[in-house]
Amino acid sequence: MQPLSGDEQRVVDLIDQDFARDLEIAAVRIPSASFQEREVAQVFADHMEQIGLEVKRLEVRHPFRQGVATSQPVGVLRGTSAGPSLMLNAHMDHMPVLGKWADDPFSGEYRDGWILGRGAQDDKGGVVSAITAAKALKESGVRFSGEIWVCPVAGHKSGCLGTKSLIEEGWTPDYCINAENTAGGIAPIAVGFVMCEVVVRGRPAHFASSAEAKGRHSNAIDQIARIAVSLGDSLAYVGPRSWLTFEPHAGLPGYPAISLDKIQSSRHFPMVLEPDLEYFTARLSFQIRSVPGQTLQSIQKDLVAHLQDVRTDYPALDVVAVNIPGEDPNYRGWDIPPFETPSDSPLLMALTGAYRSVLGSEPVVGAAPRLGAVGDGNVLAARGAEVVQYGPGDYRLFDSEPVVEERIALHEITDCARVFAVTCLRLLSEPEELRPKAA
């Protein structure tokens, strides 16, 4: 285990627990559903300016909903010499509030070392860890090369649209720590998330219709039901002898997997059908959590071939569209590829080494305990960044989705901040020849 250097120890000692606690409480008290992040983005931007970062406030327009927009800040901490860029990326938006909570879901109450409220660990704790680390680095005056970008992003729950907007504006880093809630695990691999949609059509008929009319009848909901059953059970492994083609990945056991999400139909009570309506439609939306090697194109090819097989056994099947990703505005952003960062990645080695040095224990390296989850880092990895997921909060505390009584331990936020800070120094260490010579 590599001991902390003098500079690293100085930065670790500057991690401000009170600052982290107060910022996390302030952030959790602000509701910030996807594309409703402006107020919390302002709080994060103001705090980054106060600690001395150069802050850019960016507009994020929803690409599939006209007139819908939000904002996100980028805090830049520049090194003393040229070098690579490292992004600390975590999302500001949270899941809806469902279920019965003992307290106000946005209370931000601090109790027995825990901060309570919606978004506390998914993923405002990650944002606060990143800002707290940047504060210590700035105050220390320690030299490093390159740039550190602190990016609280919007629109994660809409398909990582905030990070996609960052990429469009040129914010693609060399390295990225995606500060999702990994329970302290370090994940250099993650599944992808593809939203699929199948649309079928059927002819309306009535119980009293003629035999000829019944012969032409093909109920669209019957068709969708047959497709849904043929795809497999939700949240279950789609095995290698299934309708999907893929190479099983040892780091992602149990994947790919599917989840059936929504069925919609244009069918109405017969008396209110349009007089000239010849067909009615039904639409099945489902997601696939994919593994490396699978692409939108390969999944589309597999699904089309599978539907042809279903039609062989059920000739009434009448598929009019296969959309990947789906056309529903809620789903169109969900074309998130899987990623895998190699074991000799400088980022992975710096992060695992920093974890050992700061926390004095061996990290869990791999997809667990976020097996099956995706993050904004997936999108950045597809653009060439080296990405690792690591952040505060343990999703396994909860047995429902969206979670009830969400909470995060303050020490997790500050532990991650310490690891982030040391990782930054090790990854972005200034070349020896550029360092000031001792007198």
Side-chain angles (χ1 to χ4, degrees), residues 204-228:
H206 189 271
F207 293 97
S209 296
S210 67
E212 181 183 3
K214 288 180 179 178
R216 293 195 306 269
H217 168 66
S218 58
N219 189 296
I221 295 175
D222 284 347
Q223 297 179 50
I224 287 293
R226 288 175 183 262
I227 294 171

Side-chain angles (χ1 to χ4, degrees), residues 149-385:
W149 302 343
V150 181
C151 296
V153 293
H156 166 78
K157 304 295 185 183
S158 298
C160 304
L161 295 180
T163 296
K164 291 176 181 178
S165 178
L166 282 177
I167 292 170
E168 290 172 1
E169 297 192 36
W171 295 93
T172 302
D174 297 298
Y175 305 105
C176 172
I177 301 175
N178 185 195
E180 285 281 2
N181 45 336
T182 67
I186 295 175
I189 182 172
V191 298
F193 184 141
V194 180
M195 185 59 72
C196 306
E197 186 178 77
V198 178
V199 184
V200 301
R201 66 180 180 179
R203 290 177 179 270
H206 189 271
F207 293 97
S209 296
S210 67
E212 181 183 3
K214 288 180 179 178
R216 293 195 306 269
H217 168 66
S218 58
N219 189 296
I221 295 175
D222 284 347
Q223 297 179 50
I224 287 293
R226 288 175 183 262
I227 294 171
V229 170
S230 76
L231 293 173
D233 294 337
S234 287
L235 305 182
Y237 178 44
V238 181
R241 293 186 178 87
S242 70
W243 59 274
L244 280 173
T245 57
F246 63 94
E247 290 293 329
H249 196 293
L252 297 170
Y255 290 88
I258 70 165
S259 177
L260 305 178
D261 280 16
K262 184 188 291 188
I263 294 176
Q264 299 168 287
S265 175
S266 65
R267 179 77 193 239
H268 302 290
F269 188 73
M271 255 90 78
V272 297
L273 289 173
E274 295 294 329
D276 59 349
L277 180 65
E278 184 178 1
Y279 295 100
F280 66 92
T281 61
R283 182 183 308 260
L284 170 66
S285 299
F286 65 98
Q287 58 174 279
I288 298 174
R289 299 295 171 111
S290 59
V291 298
Q294 291 184 287
T295 64
L296 295 183
Q297 293 73 26
S298 73
I299 291 170
Q300 177 105 16
K301 181 179 179 181
D302 288 344
L303 182 54
V304 168
H306 175 66
L307 294 172
Q308 290 172 344
D309 290 342
V310 174
R311 192 173 189 275
T312 299
D313 296 329
Y314 182 60
L317 184 65
D318 187 4
V319 176
V320 294
V322 176
N323 303 317
I324 302 178
E327 292 187 344
D328 186 320
N330 294 314
Y331 296 149
R332 287 184 67 185
W334 286 108
D335 53 350
I336 312 301
F339 84 89
E340 182 175 15
T341 296
S343 59
D344 61 353
S345 152
L347 171 61
L348 179 57
M349 291 190 291
L351 181 56
T352 53
Y355 184 105
R356 296 185 189 103
S357 298
V358 171
L359 301 181
S361 61
E362 193 67 23
V364 174
V365 179
R370 274 183 60 84
L371 181 62
V374 302
D376 290 78
N378 291 53
V379 179
L380 291 158
R383 293 300 185 100

Side-chain angles (χ1 to χ4, degrees), residues 24 28 94 105 115-126 128 392-393 406-408 413:
E24 175 76 354
V28 170
H94 54 68
I115 299 164
L116 314 178
R118 171 57 83 230
Q121 70 159 264
D122 185 23
D123 185 26
K124 292 176 179 178
V128 172
E406 186 175 349
R407 60 196 180 276
I408 191 169
I413 296 175

